[in-house]
Amino acid sequence: MRRDVMKRSRLTQVAVAVAVTAGLVLAGCGDTDLPGGGKQADLSVLATDVPQIQTLKKLTKRHFTAQTGITVDYTLLPENEAREKMNREFATQAGTYDVASVSAYEVPIYADNGWLAPLDSYVKADADFDQDDVFPNLVSSLTGEDGRLYAEPFYGEGSFLMYRKDLFRKSGLTMPANPTWKQVADLAARVDGSEGASGICLRGLPGWGQNLAPINTVVNTFGGAWYDMDWNARLTSPEFKQAVRFYVDLLRSHGQPRAERMGVLEILDSFVEGKCAMMYDATSLASSVEADSSPVKGKVGYVPAPHEKTEKAGWVWTWAWGVQQASEKKDAAWEFISWASSKQFQELVGREMGWTSAPAGNRRSLYEKPEYRQAAGAWYRQEYTAATDSADPKDPGVGPRPYTGIGFLGIPEFAVLGTAVSEQIAVAIAGRQSVDAALDKAQDLAQAAAAKYRGE
């Protein structure tokens, strides 16, 4: 990817973001006195509303605040809303939020724009944090082009296929150890309706981080790509069409009802409630699937992400903690990150909330703990493999491409482009237009989005 083009693109994005948010006045948070004359840093944290962060919030006051005197105010939002708010906040550097849960997609872009504070000096001074224990692939994804670290992973994840072993036995079916998508489609058709369950649950809700995350893994392994090496859009290529048509047809034929309205949290609820026989999604969801309160606990099997033309097909992802450059509380922000992303926090969650609730996929040491291996016995091996040996973000499919990324494209335009394309696909999932019509519109959007890369 040409770095000079990327820089111009990112500067353009900054200008657009600032223009969009012009006139917004966002108030900061003040400090209050601590006993002994010190300052209490009340941190504001913006994060996605997922079970792992809900657990973090529950434990913060009794542990982090009790130990440090630092209080934390959380704003938890659904993923799409959290991204929108985070983009506005960081583009304007308003300083309302000190820490945010940034992803492997945002970090390189935010870092290049100077929106995130580098963390290297904090990591170097905090030997107890044990940076060497963090999975290298996650560290790489959170490192900027300048070689500096800009975020620490709270948890990491790959993707895999979850299936109801009891329903498969009842239907006389066997799950292959390393299934292809075509095998999955056949199994979905045969198990569909068993005890009232749909054959499979897949994300259908619009959003580049919603339905496009799994769809892109299907596109990659079916041999498709968004662009050729000259940045010409390829969304109407036979391989891309075949992949999207496969996904849409599978959902419409054997997926959950109203799929176009259902994102990751909704399909997780459906699977846990016994309404789906299979679910392809993030490895991080296994802790909820196997929670003590889950009706399907102990009934689920786990196999690698389905593939087709490639040997590996799953994504690599992380939600990580980044500090806004405009924050005046960077020291306190690091104290929070050092606690929330530590081995000690994982142990705390294991002791107080159960080991299956511990944020996983980010540290090697967790998988060496007998307690975690016992509690996560059903899936920890697949989880570890998915987090460390999934598809290569630099070469995730068949043939060369000018961008990096598995479930997303590592270009700034993708946040807008991906969402627009996901909306067209969601209309096809709803049955209100054909896949060909959706991709014809998506092709035009993708071609326009890459004009600057073609030198136009």
Side-chain angles (χ1 to χ4, degrees), residues 71 82 92 158 160 190 244 302 305 381:
T71 60
T92 58
F160 56 18
R190 296 170 66 185
V244 176
Y302 303 85
R381 291 180 181 86

Side-chain angles (χ1 to χ4, degrees), residues 18-29:
V18 171
V20 168
T21 55
L24 290 178
V25 179
L26 302 175
C29 299

Side-chain angles (χ1 to χ4, degrees), residues 27 30 47-48 50 70 95 141 186 224 236 246 256 265 271-272 336 406-407:
T48 51
V50 295
I70 300 170
S141 71
D186 178 65
T236 53
F246 173 87
Q256 73 276 12
L265 296 181
F271 188 73
V272 168
F336 170 79
I406 304 173

